[in-house]
Amino acid sequence: TSYTWEESRSEKESVNNIVPLGKPFENMAFILVDEQNEHLHAGTGELCFTGQQVITHYLGQQNENCFFEYKGERYYKTGDLAAVNEKGNLIFYGRNDSQVKINGFRVELAELENAIFKITGRNVVVIADKENNLEVLFAFIENKKMDETLLRADLSAYLPAYMIPSHYRFVNAFPKNINGKIDRRQLKQYLHE
C-alpha cells in the first residue's frame, strides 16, 4: 500500500497515532474478512491481499491457513486488523494476535497501549495473562514507578472498565529480541517470577 502524508489532513486521519496504510498498489486487491474468512463490506476485519506482489504459498506448503480462495482469487491473510475510512484509505487497528478477550469483550492491546502512553508519556506494553483462571491485563510501563490509583482514575475517563489493566509493572528498560523489538515473551515471564 502507499499513503502520501499531507500536513493538513493526515494527522486527523491517523488512528492511535498510526499513519493510515493508504491504498493498495496497482495490480493489487484487498478484502477485509471476519474470523470465518467471510468478506466484510464495512467495519474492521483482517486485511487480506491478492495480486502480483503476493505469494501463492509458503515453501513446503507450510502455513496454508494463511491463504484462502475468494471469487476465484487466492488471498493472503496478513494478520493485520484494518478498516476503510471515508477517504478510501486503509486504517490499521492492530494485529489479530494482539487482540484478546477480557470478560467477553474484545480488547485491542495497541489501542490500550496508546491510551496509557497519552496519559503517561512513557513507553507501554500491555499483556494478557491468566490469573485465577481468568484473563486479565498487565501493563508494563517503562521508567520509574507512578501512582497506580491516579493512573487508573485517568484511564477510566477514557476507557470502559474492562479495558483498564488489573496490574502495573514498572521496568527500567524493555527487553529486546534478536530483531531489536520489544520481547513480549520475556515480559510475560516476568509475571511468573
Side-chain angles (χ1 to χ4, degrees):
T1 61
S2 67
Y3 180 79
T4 302
W5 179 268
E6 292 178 16
E7 202 68 42
S8 62
R9 69 171 172 87
S10 294
E11 190 172 347
K12 293 175 192 158
E13 234 184 325
S14 300
V15 173
N16 292 331
N17 289 331
I18 299 172
V19 175
L21 299 173
K23 296 178 175 70
F25 293 143
E26 192 175 327
N27 299 315
M28 296 289 295
F30 76 91
I31 59 173
L32 301 172
V33 299
D34 63 16
E35 293 170 350
Q36 288 76 42
N37 295 337
E38 295 293 327
H39 183 211
L40 298 172
H41 297 283
T44 303
E46 183 172 0
L47 179 58
C48 305
F49 283 104
T50 190
Q52 292 179 348
Q53 296 181 5
V54 179
I55 61 173
T56 58
H57 61 275
Y58 282 108
L59 188 63
Q61 305 299 323
Q62 294 180 20
N63 300 318
E64 271 300 298
N65 60 328
C66 292
F67 301 91
F68 68 99
E69 299 284 328
Y70 178 73
K71 292 191 175 180
E73 296 284 337
R74 188 160 168 88
Y75 280 82
Y76 173 72
K77 298 171 67 174
T78 65
D80 294 334
L81 298 173
V84 179
N85 71 7
E86 64 281 352
K87 296 185 183 325
N89 286 312
L90 285 164
I91 303 297
F92 178 77
Y93 283 97
R95 297 272 309 153
N96 257 351
D97 53 10
S98 70
Q99 196 177 74
V100 297
K101 271 198 175 178
I102 304 294
N103 297 331
F105 295 97
R106 287 188 188 276
V107 175
E108 176 54 56
L109 297 180
E111 180 182 351
L112 178 53
E113 289 168 351
N114 185 58
I116 297 171
F117 174 79
K118 282 182 177 177
I119 291 170
T120 65
R122 298 177 183 169
N123 292 326
V124 179
V125 173
V126 177
I127 293 174
D129 199 24
K130 295 275 187 201
E131 181 179 76
N132 299 323
N133 293 322
L134 294 173
E135 200 81 9
V136 296
L137 297 170
F138 293 81
F140 287 87
I141 302 173
E142 197 170 48
N143 217 324
K144 63 184 177 188
K145 190 168 174 61
M146 306 174 65
D147 183 332
E148 292 179 35
T149 305
L150 184 59
L151 180 55
R152 278 189 179 94
D154 288 344
L155 285 171
S156 67
Y158 300 103
L159 302 171
Y162 65 85
M163 284 184 74
I164 296 175
S166 301
H167 304 284
Y168 298 85
R169 302 281 192 275
F170 299 91
V171 296
N172 291 328
F174 287 123
K176 301 283 181 18
N177 62 23
I178 196 165
N179 297 320
K181 294 182 179 179
I182 294 172
D183 192 336
R184 291 174 180 267
R185 284 190 191 134
Q186 191 171 340
L187 283 174
K188 202 165 192 175
Q189 288 175 353
Y190 290 169
L191 300 176
H192 304 288
E193 291 177 349

